[in-house]
Amino acid sequence: MIDSATISIQYIKKDDFTGSYKGMRYRLSKVGDGMEVVIWPGPYNFIKTPEQKKQRKEFPLTIEGKEEAVRWLNEQYEVQRPLWDSVLN
């Protein structure tokens, strides 16, 4: 599972934070006063992945928002596990 302790709000305020977990790639970005989280199937990076394969959700750019975003990331991993598993094979 993705651990919120590995994600820094201060980092996101300055630059995009990217990562991956078992076939699911993700990016957390500052957008206005909030944070946008994008997920997509690997193996390609954000730029090389077609827009229609990306899913987005916004959260507050706060500690609580980060915790909510990580819960959402972990939920999406479980809900869409066949998709993430398919890119690993």
Side-chain angles (χ1 to χ4, degrees):
M1 303 299 277
I2 299 165
D3 181 2
S4 67
T6 64
I7 300 172
S8 165
I9 288 292
Q10 296 307 316
Y11 186 90
I12 296 168
K13 288 179 179 180
K14 297 176 183 174
D15 201 0
D16 296 342
F17 181 93
T18 60
S20 65
Y21 183 74
K22 298 184 179 182
M24 180 180 79
R25 295 193 178 242
Y26 56 91
R27 182 182 85 167
L28 292 80
S29 305
K30 182 179 186 284
V31 177
D33 291 334
M35 172 175 49
E36 178 185 62
V37 180
V38 183
I39 58 173
W40 68 93
Y44 303 111
N45 67 20
F46 182 82
I47 293 169
K48 296 288 185 181
T49 301
E51 201 57 39
Q52 65 269 21
K53 291 189 175 189
K54 298 173 187 172
Q55 299 170 54
R56 301 169 185 272
K57 187 161 179 163
E58 290 195 14
F59 299 90
L61 188 56
T62 62
I63 298 296
E64 296 81 12
K66 178 187 78 161
E67 296 298 327
E68 189 180 338
V70 171
R71 277 193 300 277
W72 182 75
L73 286 169
N74 287 320
E75 287 169 5
Q76 293 309 304
Y77 173 76
E78 291 300 330
V79 168
Q80 300 183 61
R81 194 171 192 160
L83 173 61
W84 317 128
D85 287 346
S86 72
V87 300
L88 294 175
N89 297 327

